[in-house]
Amino acid sequence: ANAQPNNGKINLTFLANEAGVYKVQTIVEFANKSYISAITEITVGGGLNTFKDVVVVSMGADKMIVNNDVVALDVAPFIENNRTMMQFNVLYVFGIDVEWVAETQSIVAEGNGLKVVMQLGSKVATVNGAEVALDVAPYTVNGRTVVPVGFITGLLDITPTFTYNADGSIADILFTK
């Protein structure tokens, strides 16, 4: 909505909540004139049924979208010390069970060939038996363990897609797997 032309070009970003073919037409109003593009077809995901799961989280929101369903979050995603933090148990949407072990203050995530063990306050996690350094130690907020989004996406080998507010801050994060 607030894109500025650069040498006569405007870059637009489109996000879709599921794979498929979308028809897109843009209307740009500039200098009291409207410019309307032709209708363009955009294929998302390389074809139908490419994605198993689509998750969208919004910064500060206590809900996320999982495959078109609204799911409550106990802790809204937030930014702290330049890290986007999110509750770790959202891994369940990708088929990974997350369990809290009170005796050791640890979190164990297991499923789909992945086993992660983390301890609150420790910057070292074990992923499939190998130690992995974390740049931020996991901690709790409202009874939920939070970790950087980068750690979650690294575990799942996915690249998140970020959308931004007009001020440059992160608005939403799209995860597809």
Side-chain angles (χ1 to χ4, degrees):
N2 297 314
Q4 295 297 313
N6 183 6
N7 293 328
K9 295 181 181 180
I10 296 176
N11 291 323
L12 302 173
T13 302
F14 298 92
L15 292 177
N17 62 353
E18 61 186 64
V21 177
Y22 293 85
K23 292 182 179 182
V24 178
Q25 182 176 41
T26 57
I27 301 171
V28 177
E29 293 181 6
F30 185 72
N32 295 325
K33 291 185 179 182
S34 293
Y35 301 89
I36 302 172
S37 74
I39 295 175
T40 302
E41 287 190 359
I42 297 175
T43 301
V44 175
L48 299 177
N49 301 319
T50 300
F51 299 128
K52 178 181 173 189
D53 295 297
V54 177
V55 179
V56 180
V57 297
S58 298
M59 298 305 295
D62 63 354
K63 294 176 179 59
M64 64 181 173
I65 307 297
V66 178
N67 299 326
N68 295 326
D69 295 324
V70 177
V71 178
L73 290 170
D74 297 312
V75 178
F78 61 96
I79 296 177
E80 184 172 273
N81 296 325
N82 293 321
R83 293 286 181 266
T84 304
M85 305 295 288
M86 192 170 173
Q87 67 186 63
F88 188 63
N89 69 343
V90 299
L91 290 176
Y92 82 89
V93 302
F94 296 108
I96 298 171
D97 294 320
V98 180
E99 178 185 347
W100 169 249
V101 183
E103 302 82 43
T104 59
Q105 299 284 289
S106 298
I107 305 92
V108 178
E110 197 165 5
N112 294 329
L114 181 69
K115 182 174 182 179
V116 180
V117 180
M118 296 185 300
Q119 189 169 20
L120 290 182
S122 174
K123 287 188 172 185
V124 178
T126 303
V127 179
N128 291 339
E131 288 190 351
V132 174
L134 303 170
D135 58 349
V136 175
Y139 60 96
T140 60
V141 174
N142 296 334
R144 293 290 179 210
T145 302
V146 294
V147 297
V149 166
F151 180 66
I152 293 172
T153 58
L155 289 174
L156 299 172
D157 194 30
I158 59 176
T159 302
T161 302
F162 293 90
T163 62
Y164 298 91
N165 295 313
D167 65 2
S169 62
I170 296 172
D172 303 299
I173 308 168
L174 170 72
F175 303 93
T176 54
K177 183 75 173 154

